[in-house]
Amino acid sequence: EEALSGYREALRVYQAALGEDHPETAKVLNNMAAVFVEQGKYEQGLSTYGDALRVSQKAWGSDHPTTASCLHNMGNIFLMQGDYDEALLRYREALRVRKEVLGEDHPDTAGTVGNIAGVLLDEGKYEEALTGHREALRVYRKVFGDEHPKTAGGVHNIALVLAAQGMYEEALLNYDQALGVFERVVGRQHPETADTLHDVGGVLAKQVKHEEALKRYEQALRVRQKFLGEEHPQTKKTLRAIQYVRAALEASRSAHDGQAGRVCVDLKCNNCGTPGG
């Protein structure tokens, strides 16, 4: 809220001194929208990015990096809301601009390629998604090297596709690689580290390794609660995952206890020579 207040005051000053359609206004609007998204206020974020896009197009034109950033960020929100068609529309326009203005081997271009791959993953187009994420990772490695959060994020995204394909062991290898980089570079108490921990928990849960999954989910939850707050959608997502795994553990223990009880009854009945009930 403090950051948002600062941006609102800056916006008021810029609009009064420079006018509503000045390039600096677009930058402030972009920053405000990012805060809304961090707070989980997606509709407000989308509206503010829309304002930034309008100003950017008027100030710089359609083929400008800031215009592409607005489009890319709007695509992010549509993706979070599950509106894949609108997300792809924004991403593909952003990608066209970024390729033309920045080039194919620019990290921002790779970011849009990776996000398009994320939509394709959600649509079940796994091979296309894997191709996109590998292309993004190629650029990140070329630009940043292996020990960088962007590169770790690229590896994480490949793990997402592998997990969706049921290739759990290969996915875990990629997640572990990404997690190691995140922990070394940004630290254990960081939202990106928490994202990977959460997704590792998801793979372990699918492998019915519920105790290990619970450990990873609880680690992710502590970080998300600290940095995102209790009401953020990502925090709530991890809480729901923890509830699911705990319920699965309880069901497993109950089934085991019931089976043990039946064995005991059967043994007792065999010993006394009466049929088991």
Side-chain angles (χ1 to χ4, degrees), residues 53-76:
L53 176 63
R54 178 188 59 79
V55 175
S56 180
Q57 286 174 327
K58 188 167 184 178
W60 288 302
S62 296
D63 292 347
H64 189 275
T66 302
T67 302
S69 292
C70 294
L71 288 163
H72 177 98
N73 292 333
M74 291 174 76
N76 288 345

Side-chain angles (χ1 to χ4, degrees), residues 6-255:
Y7 287 135
R8 281 177 173 144
E9 176 60 18
L11 182 64
R12 185 190 66 78
V13 171
Y14 282 134
Q15 287 178 332
L18 305 172
E20 292 189 356
D21 294 332
H22 193 276
E24 290 300 322
T25 302
K27 293 179 183 178
V28 176
L29 286 166
N30 249 326
N31 291 336
M32 283 180 63
V35 175
F36 284 131
V37 174
E38 286 176 9
Q39 293 176 332
K41 299 174 181 177
Y42 298 142
E43 287 302 326
Q44 288 173 272
L46 192 59
S47 175
T48 308
Y49 276 133
D51 291 339
L53 176 63
R54 178 188 59 79
V55 175
S56 180
Q57 286 174 327
K58 188 167 184 178
W60 288 302
S62 296
D63 292 347
H64 189 275
T66 302
T67 302
S69 292
C70 294
L71 288 163
H72 177 98
N73 292 333
M74 291 174 76
N76 288 345
I77 298 178
F78 283 120
L79 177 58
M80 292 174 194
Q81 294 177 322
D83 193 339
Y84 301 140
D85 289 341
E86 290 295 328
L88 281 175
L89 188 67
R90 301 314 190 282
Y91 284 146
R92 283 174 174 152
E93 179 59 16
L95 181 60
R96 181 194 67 77
V97 177
R98 285 179 163 174
K99 280 184 174 180
E100 184 174 321
V101 177
L102 304 174
E104 292 194 356
D105 286 352
H106 192 282
D108 289 349
T109 306
T112 304
V113 169
N115 284 20
I116 290 172
V119 178
L120 295 172
L121 170 60
D122 285 347
E123 290 182 329
K125 299 174 181 176
Y126 300 136
E127 290 306 319
E128 293 177 66
L130 198 56
T131 297
H133 282 314
R134 283 174 172 159
E135 169 60 15
L137 179 59
R138 178 193 68 78
V139 175
Y140 292 145
R141 281 189 166 137
K142 179 179 179 180
V143 175
F144 301 118
D146 289 334
E147 292 290 305
H148 191 278
K150 285 287 187 182
T151 306
V155 176
H156 176 119
N157 290 335
I158 287 172
L160 284 173
V161 181
L162 295 171
Q165 292 176 304
M167 301 169 67
Y168 298 137
E169 290 304 324
E170 194 172 346
L172 284 174
L173 287 173
N174 280 270
Y175 278 136
D176 285 345
Q177 182 183 340
L179 186 61
V181 175
F182 281 134
E183 289 180 340
R184 288 191 297 273
V185 177
V186 300
R188 294 184 176 182
Q189 298 293 308
H190 191 278
E192 288 185 296
T193 307
D195 291 345
T196 303
L197 286 166
H198 176 98
D199 288 341
V200 169
V203 173
L204 292 170
K206 287 175 182 175
Q207 292 181 310
V208 200
K209 298 177 181 178
H210 291 130
E211 290 186 359
E212 293 178 59
L214 184 60
K215 180 181 177 182
R216 301 304 190 282
Y217 280 139
E218 287 176 340
Q219 289 174 315
L221 180 64
R222 286 192 291 271
V223 178
R224 285 180 165 176
Q225 286 174 327
K226 179 178 179 180
F227 287 94
L228 304 178
E230 297 284 350
E231 296 303 312
H232 194 278
Q234 293 295 90
T235 306
K236 290 181 178 180
K237 182 179 179 180
T238 303
L239 278 168
R240 288 194 299 271
I242 287 172
Q243 290 166 358
Y244 166 80
V245 171
R246 284 177 175 164
L249 273 170
E250 184 60 34
S252 176
R253 288 166 183 158
S254 296

